[in-house]
Amino acid sequence: MVVEHTFVTTMEAPQTMSAAAQFLQEFGFVADGQRAFALGGTWDALEVRRGRARRGKRYAIRDWPQQVRLEWDRGRVDVAASATPPPTGNFDTRWGDKLRKDESASVQELLFTVARSLELLLGARQPDQARAELQAIDRRLIERADRNRRRVRFWIILLLVFVALAVGLLVWSIVANAPHR
């Protein structure tokens, strides 16, 4: 999923990119190679990433591979934020392209919040508000992932108890109906 957002800032390109890089770094984003640094004398683009792309278990949405790209052009800042669900299994070579409805809404909310936070930071110059908004969505996504893990753990334990009771009942009925010598 990709979210694009444009806003205006009065900051110059190097200031804009530096402030954005520092801000996003606080939330686990890292510069993507040399594209985060000035090339050709002007620093007017920034590309950062976070998340993991390993196969296997289903990660929390906050841990999905994410990419944010900013471009500055005479005060206009274009932001493109994207998130990709990790591969679904060990033998699946495709990236999971079908999202559950709640995942889709959460990913969309995360990406919009990243773009909105950058606008608050760079356009409105409200770093505390920008930080608070991004921290709030991160916290909600982490709490949701924890809640989902607890729910899965509960159902696994319940299933194991049910299987143990069924096996116990089966053993008891075999022993109770066996002829005694």
Side-chain angles (χ1 to χ4, degrees):
M1 178 176 290
V2 177
V3 168
E4 294 181 353
H5 183 65
T6 302
F7 58 90
V8 175
T9 183
T10 57
M11 299 168 71
E12 291 298 317
Q15 292 174 301
T16 302
M17 296 301 129
S18 177
Q22 289 174 357
F23 177 75
L24 291 170
Q25 198 171 36
E26 290 178 32
F27 292 94
F29 287 91
V30 293
D32 189 30
Q34 290 295 332
R35 287 179 263 183
F37 302 102
L39 298 173
T42 61
W43 186 18
D44 58 0
L46 172 70
E47 194 167 313
V48 293
R49 296 176 187 273
R50 78 172 176 181
R52 35 187 168 171
R54 290 185 294 163
R55 298 180 187 285
K57 69 177 188 173
R58 196 158 184 94
Y59 293 115
I61 290 172
R62 186 193 183 281
D63 295 331
W64 287 9
Q66 299 167 39
Q67 180 178 351
V68 177
R69 179 165 175 76
L70 284 89
E71 292 181 3
W72 183 93
D73 181 24
R74 296 171 296 200
R76 189 185 83 212
V77 180
D78 295 318
V79 178
S82 66
T84 307
T88 56
N90 291 333
F91 299 109
D92 187 7
T93 57
R94 298 172 291 120
W95 287 85
D97 54 353
K98 298 208 178 203
L99 299 178
R100 294 189 315 247
K101 192 180 286 189
D102 61 329
E103 284 180 335
S104 180
S106 295
V107 170
Q108 190 175 23
E109 182 182 13
L110 171 64
L111 297 177
F112 276 127
T113 302
V114 168
R116 171 85 174 121
S117 294
L118 287 168
E119 181 179 9
L120 286 170
L121 174 75
L122 304 170
R125 299 206 185 184
Q126 298 176 351
D128 295 333
Q129 180 67 25
R131 198 169 282 108
E133 284 193 17
L134 204 46
Q135 284 172 343
I137 186 73
D138 272 354
R139 194 175 321 111
R140 276 197 310 269
L141 291 174
I142 289 169
E143 289 170 359
R144 179 176 166 230
D146 289 343
R147 209 171 34 250
N148 287 344
R149 276 190 217 101
R150 283 193 303 270
R151 186 176 340 137
V152 166
R153 194 175 306 131
F154 169 79
W155 285 107
I156 289 172
I157 290 170
L158 188 64
L159 178 66
L160 291 174
V161 167
F162 177 74
V163 168
L165 286 174
V167 168
L169 186 61
L170 180 65
V171 169
W172 176 78
S173 69
I174 291 172
V175 170
N177 292 329
H180 297 287
R181 294 183 194 196

